[in-house]
Amino acid sequence: MMMEIKNILVPTNGGGADEEVIELACSLARKSKAKVYAVYIIEVERSLSLDTQVDSETEKAEKILTHAEDAAVDADYEIETDLLQARDAGPAIVNEAVERKIDLIIMATTYKKAPGIPELGKAVYYVLKEAPCRVLLYRDSIS
Amino acid sequence: MGTDWHPKLGDKFVRRPRAKAHPLRRALGVFGLFSAGYGNVGSSIYYALGLVALIAFGATPVVLLIAGIFFIFTALSYAEGTAMMPEAGGSASFARHGFNDLFASVAGWALAFSYIVTIAISAYTAPAYLGYFWQPLAEPVAGTFVAMGIIFFLMCLNIIGVKESSILNTFFALLDVITQIIIILLAILFIFAPHPEIFSHNVIGNWPSASGLILGIAIATLAYTGVDTISQLSEETRRPTITAPRAMILMIVVVMILFSGISVAAFSTMTPIEMASEWARDPIAGIAQGLSIAIVPEEIAAGLSSNPAGIIVITAFFGGILKLLPILVAVLATTILIIATNAGLMGISRLTFALGRFQLIPLTLSKVHHKFRTPYKPIILFSLVATLLLIPGFFAPNTFVILGGLYVFGCLFSFSMAHASILRLRIKHPELPRPFKIRGNIKIRGYDLPLTAILGVAFTSAVWLAVVITQPYARWVGFGWMAFGLIVYFAFRYRKRLPLIHSAQEVKLPVD
C-alpha cells in the first residue's frame, strides 16, 4: 500500500545536500500535492536566553532558507520556510513534526569519516529515535 | 499520525519571523522578466515619438537611432551590474558597491525622480489615446484631470496592495509587439516600399537646427524609459545571474527593431509637422489613422489577385484590419500606459525598499503598513509629487516638453551613475565574479574597462548637461528635488550617527 503524504518536513543545515533534499521533497510532494516545510534551527547556547537574536547566526539561517526557497523555485514547487531557535535541533525538529502533523521528515546528513561507526550527528539520532512519523535519511555523496 | 511524544521540560522553542516577512518571490524567468522590462520600455514609444518629433522634426528616426545605440550601452552596463549584484536598487545599488553611500543616495533620488516623472508622463498621455472614443479627453485640461484621477486611483490600489501579474504583463507585451509588427508591416509593404521618396522627403525636408538635433537626442532617451526595470526585478528572478542578462539582450533586440520600424512607419504616413502638431501626445494613433487613410484595400486586392472572389476576401481582410487598427491602438495604448503608470508606482515601492534597507532614506519612509503590508508612505508622497508635476498641464501648452525634460534630468543622471559605477567596480574589485562581463574592453593602467561604459558615461553626462543648460524648468525642479534628497539623507544619517559618506550596515525593514 502506498503511503499518503500530506506534509513533508525538511530540516536544513546549510550542507551541500540541502538543495538535493529540497528537490527530492518537492518531487515526492508533487504527486499528492503535499505541503513542504523547510526549517532551520539555530541552536542557542545555554548561557544566553533562548530568544536572544545572534545576528551572525540569523544571517546564516536566512541565507540557508533563501537558498532552500530558490531550490524549490527551480523545482517549480512552492514551499514554506521557518526559522526556529532551540537549545538542541533534535527536539525542535520533532516538535515541529508533531505541530505540523508531518507525515515524512527528509533529513540530509553528512558522513563524517571517523574511526568506528559513521558519525551522523546528535540531531539525526534524536529524530530517528523520537519522531513519530517516517524519516528518510539522505546522505550526501562522499566526493 | 498518532503520537505520544511531548517536549521535555527543558525543550523550549522560539519561532523567529523571517527577516523578509514578505520575501520577494523568485518567480520570474527570461520571458517574464523580458515582458516586465518591455512593458516599461515599450510603453514609452506611445508618447516619446511625438515628443521627439516636436523637437527633432524630420531627424526623429536619426535621433532615436543615436539614442538607441546608447540605450544598448546602458543596457549592457545594467546587465553586468545586475548579474554581479542581483538586488533591487538599480543604479543606487551599483553606486553603493562601486563608490559609497553618498553616491548611492544621489543615484537613488535621481532614479526616484525619473520614476515620478514616468508616472506623470504615462498618466498624462493615456487620456489622449482615449480621445479616439470621446474627443474631449484629448483636450489638455480634461486630459490633465483624467491623468490626476488615474494617479489617484493607482495610488489607492497600490496602498491596498495589488499583485503584479506576470501572465498579464506577458499577454500585453505580446499583444503590443504583434500590433506594432502589423503597423510596421502595413506601412513598409504598402507605403514605404512603393513610395520611399515620401519618407526621405519628410526626413530631409524637415531637418532641425543643430540645437534642435542635440536636444532631440537628449529627449529621445525618453523612448528608452525603464531600462532599469529588469535590474529592479532581479530579486524576484530565478537564477538572476543568467536570466537578467538574457532578458536584457532580448529586450534590446526587440525594442531596437520595433522602434526603427515605427519611425519608418511614422514618417511614411504623416509629415513631422503633422505629428508634432496633431499627434504629439498620441503618435501611434496618428500612424494607425494615417494607415487607414493611405491604404486602399481594393487596390491591394486588385494587385494580389485577379480572381473576383479572391479580391472580395482580400478587400474584406485588409478593410477589417485597417478599421480595427485605430480602435486596437487606442485601447492597447491606454492599457499599456496605465500599466506603465502603475509600474512607476511599483518601481518606487521596490526602490524605497532597497534604499531603506541600505539606510539611504529614513526607515520610517520604507515602513510597510501593518494591515496592507505595502510601503504606503512613499507611494502617497511620490504620487503627490507626480500629481503636482501635472499642474502645468492646465495652463502651459508645452507641458509635454516640460515633463520630457524632467524625465531626462532624472534618468540620464541615474544612467551615468550606473556606467560610472560599473567602471569603478572594474577598478576597485576586478576579482569579483562577473557572470555577465561586457566585451570590448580597453586596458587603462592595467585595468580592463568596457568601452561601452566609457562612451555611455561620456554621452549621458554630455546630454544631461545639455538638458540642464537648455531646459530651465527641468534644471530648477530637478536640482530642487536632488537638494531635498540630499538634505533628507544628511539629516537622517546625522541623527542616526551613521557615516555620512561611507556605507552603513544593511538593516531589516520595520512594520508600522
Side-chain angles (χ1 to χ4, degrees):
Chain A
M1 194 183 74
M2 279 286 287
M3 66 170 185
E4 195 191 357
I5 303 171
K6 284 183 182 159
N7 299 300
I8 300 175
L9 180 69
V10 181
T12 56
N13 59 13
D18 272 0
E19 201 176 315
E20 290 169 37
V21 174
I22 291 287
E23 278 171 20
L24 175 66
C26 292
S27 63
L28 284 174
R30 199 182 308 275
K31 265 189 188 172
S32 52
K33 291 180 183 163
K35 277 197 164 182
V36 177
Y37 301 95
V39 64
Y40 182 86
I41 291 122
I42 298 173
E43 291 185 322
V44 183
E45 283 177 37
R46 289 188 189 273
S47 57
L48 298 170
S49 156
L50 187 61
D51 58 0
T52 309
Q53 182 169 337
V54 185
D55 283 344
S56 58
E57 281 298 310
T58 312
E59 202 176 313
K60 180 182 160 196
E62 285 292 346
K63 275 188 184 158
I64 291 169
L65 289 175
T66 306
H67 188 65
E69 283 169 341
D70 289 346
V73 168
D74 288 341
D76 206 15
Y77 207 79
E78 240 180 86
I79 64 166
E80 272 185 36
T81 54
D82 251 316
L83 179 55
L84 300 175
Q85 289 198 174
R87 298 294 179 199
D88 291 301
I93 295 168
V94 176
N95 186 59
E96 191 72 355
V98 172
E99 270 189 11
R100 293 206 183 268
K101 297 193 172 86
I102 295 294
D103 306 297
L104 175 68
I105 299 174
I106 309 180
M107 257 182 121
T109 176
T110 333
Y111 173 67
K112 289 171 192 159
K113 272 191 178 174
I117 56 163
E119 180 55 56
L120 296 173
K122 215 165 71 172
V124 174
Y125 279 121
Y126 188 92
V127 172
L128 286 174
K129 195 173 153 216
E130 299 288 347
C133 60
R134 292 169 178 87
V135 180
L136 191 63
L137 215 54
Y138 187 96
R139 200 212 70 188
D140 197 5
S141 62
I142 289 177
S143 62
Chain B
M1 186 188 70
T3 177
D4 296 329
W5 185 88
H6 292 287
K8 293 194 184 84
L9 271 178
D11 291 338
K12 289 210 163 60
F13 320 104
V14 172
R15 198 175 290 275
R16 292 218 79 92
R18 296 283 314 275
K20 294 174 188 169
H22 298 275
L24 301 169
R25 222 177 118 232
R26 291 194 184 275
L28 295 169
V30 174
F31 205 69
L33 201 56
F34 158 78
S35 306
Y38 177 80
N40 223 340
V41 180
S43 66
S44 48
I45 197 71
Y46 286 98
Y47 49 81
L49 195 63
L51 186 53
V52 176
L54 267 172
I55 294 155
F57 301 112
T60 299
V62 180
V63 298
L64 276 174
L65 186 71
I66 296 171
I69 292 166
F70 287 95
F71 157 70
I72 295 173
F73 295 173
T74 306
L76 287 174
S77 283
Y78 268 92
E80 179 167 319
T82 308
M84 247 178 111
M85 299 153 287
E87 58 187 24
S91 55
S93 161
F94 303 164
R96 186 171 178 266
H97 292 280
F99 294 96
N100 51 44
D101 277 15
L102 179 61
F103 275 79
S105 166
V106 172
W109 282 97
L111 194 57
F113 189 63
S114 71
Y115 276 129
I116 292 168
V117 188
T118 302
I119 294 168
I121 206 164
S122 306
Y124 183 70
T125 39
Y129 280 93
L130 278 180
Y132 178 83
F133 301 106
W134 193 43
Q135 189 54 32
L137 285 175
E139 301 302 322
V141 175
T144 307
F145 263 124
V146 175
M148 287 177 167
I150 290 172
I151 295 175
F152 181 74
F153 171 71
L154 292 176
M155 180 189 84
C156 296
L157 218 59
N158 275 276
I159 291 171
I160 296 166
V162 283
K163 235 182 176 178
E164 195 172 17
S165 165
S166 180
I167 296 171
L168 205 67
N169 271 345
T170 309
F171 170 76
F172 278 111
L174 209 65
L175 192 63
D176 182 49
V177 170
I178 293 169
T179 310
Q180 293 205 35
I181 288 174
I182 293 173
I183 290 174
I184 294 166
L185 285 180
L186 285 174
I188 289 179
L189 290 176
F190 302 115
I191 304 175
F192 179 74
H195 306 289
E197 68 283 357
I198 298 176
F199 177 78
S200 55
H201 173 77
N202 278 338
V203 170
I204 298 161
N206 295 283
W207 200 255
S209 62
S211 61
L213 192 69
I214 292 168
L215 191 60
I217 295 171
I219 297 291
T221 54
L222 182 72
Y224 305 101
T225 311
V227 67
D228 62 300
T229 311
I230 288 176
S231 170
Q232 291 289 356
L233 288 169
S234 57
E235 282 187 44
E236 292 148 74
T237 305
R238 286 181 213 166
R239 299 177 194 272
T241 51
I242 302 164
T243 311
R246 281 185 188 167
M248 200 80 87
I249 289 166
L250 183 63
M251 190 175 77
I252 292 173
V253 173
V254 174
V255 165
M256 286 304 289
I257 291 173
L258 290 181
F259 280 22
S260 312
I262 282 290
S263 306
V264 174
F267 290 153
S268 298
T269 50
M270 67 181 112
T271 64
I273 307 297
E274 276 173 334
M275 179 177 278
S277 54
E278 289 171 46
W279 303 100
R281 279 170 69 205
D282 48 353
I284 310 295
I287 300 173
Q289 186 82 4
L291 285 173
S292 312
I293 296 165
I295 297 175
V296 183
E298 289 79 8
E299 280 178 17
I300 299 170
L304 290 175
S305 173
S306 52
N307 182 344
I311 290 175
I312 292 169
V313 171
I314 295 168
T315 307
F317 175 73
F318 281 102
I321 288 181
L322 292 170
K323 258 188 192 158
L324 194 69
L325 209 55
I327 302 168
L328 183 64
V329 166
V331 174
L332 192 63
T334 311
T335 316
I336 282 180
L337 287 167
I338 290 173
I339 289 176
T341 312
N342 197 43
L345 275 164
M346 285 188 159
I348 288 282
S349 308
R350 286 191 180 97
L351 184 65
T352 46
F353 168 78
L355 298 182
R357 206 170 56 174
F358 301 145
Q359 302 202 67
L360 297 171
I361 53 170
L363 291 181
T364 180
L365 254 183
S366 314
K367 270 184 186 173
V368 291
H369 192 275
H370 67 282
K371 189 177 167 195
F372 302 127
R373 303 279 173 187
T374 50
Y376 66 105
K377 284 180 186 170
I379 292 174
I380 294 173
L381 176 72
F382 294 134
S383 300
L384 195 70
V385 179
T387 310
L388 289 176
L389 290 180
L390 286 177
I391 288 176
F394 290 117
F395 44 85
N398 63 340
T399 306
F400 205 27
V401 181
I402 289 173
L403 288 175
L406 286 175
Y407 172 77
V408 173
F409 181 96
C411 106
L412 284 187
F413 195 91
S414 163
F415 287 173
S416 29
M417 287 301 295
H419 286 302
S421 305
I422 294 304
L423 289 170
R424 173 93 169 128
L425 277 164
R426 286 282 185 102
I427 296 166
K428 197 175 157 192
H429 294 296
E431 78 292 349
L432 280 180
R434 288 172 171 79
F436 177 88
K437 193 173 179 182
I438 305 172
R439 288 180 193 171
N441 298 296
I442 52 167
K443 256 202 165 40
I444 298 177
R445 290 189 182 178
Y447 298 111
D448 258 347
L449 300 178
L451 188 62
T452 55
I454 296 172
L455 291 173
V457 75
F459 170 79
T460 46
S461 315
V463 173
W464 180 79
L465 211 61
V467 170
V468 167
I469 293 167
T470 57
Q471 302 283 305
Y473 194 83
R475 179 169 64 231
W476 296 120
V477 176
F479 279 130
W481 173 262
M482 297 304 287
F484 169 73
L486 279 176
I487 290 168
V488 170
Y489 169 78
F490 281 122
F492 167 66
R493 286 289 181 117
Y494 182 76
R495 240 187 92 220
K496 286 271 170 189
R497 307 242 183 284
L498 290 168
L500 294 179
I501 293 171
H502 298 296
S503 294
Q505 219 184 359
E506 201 176 313
V507 290
K508 290 171 204 158
L509 296 178
V511 175
D512 214 4

